């Protein structure tokens, strides 16, 4: 039984990471942003906080979906 739980946790973690990456790409394309330029070249801290908030929000949503 423990192996099944471990395997399902790994699968859900991979799905969550993939969904997070897809969300970031969609937001990048939808709002016509250049994430690399904003974060690395211009050192835009506010933009980094927004992306971090997005990542946390998607993580909470995915976690809530997995546990229900």
């Amino acid at each position: 039984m423990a192996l099944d739980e471990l395997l399902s946790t790994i699968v859900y973690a991979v799905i969550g990471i993939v969904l997070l990456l897809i969300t970031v790409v969609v937001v990048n394309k939808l709002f016509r942003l250049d994430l690399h330029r904003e974060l690395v070249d211009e050192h835009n801290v506010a933009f980094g906080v927004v992306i971090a908030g997005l990542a946390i929000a998607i993580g909470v949503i995915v976690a809530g979906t997995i546990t229900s």
Side-chain angles (χ1 to χ4, degrees), residues 18-62:
V18 168
L19 288 174
L20 177 63
L21 291 174
I22 289 172
T23 303
V24 169
V25 169
V26 167
V27 166
N28 191 28
K29 298 291 183 190
L30 184 66
F31 294 111
R32 296 185 179 133
L33 301 171
D34 187 4
L35 294 175
H36 186 269
R37 183 179 59 81
E38 289 290 334
L39 292 174
V40 177
D41 296 339
E42 295 186 13
H43 305 289
N44 191 342
V45 176
F47 189 72
V49 170
V50 168
I51 296 299
L54 175 70
I56 291 170
I58 296 299
V60 169
I61 291 168
V62 170

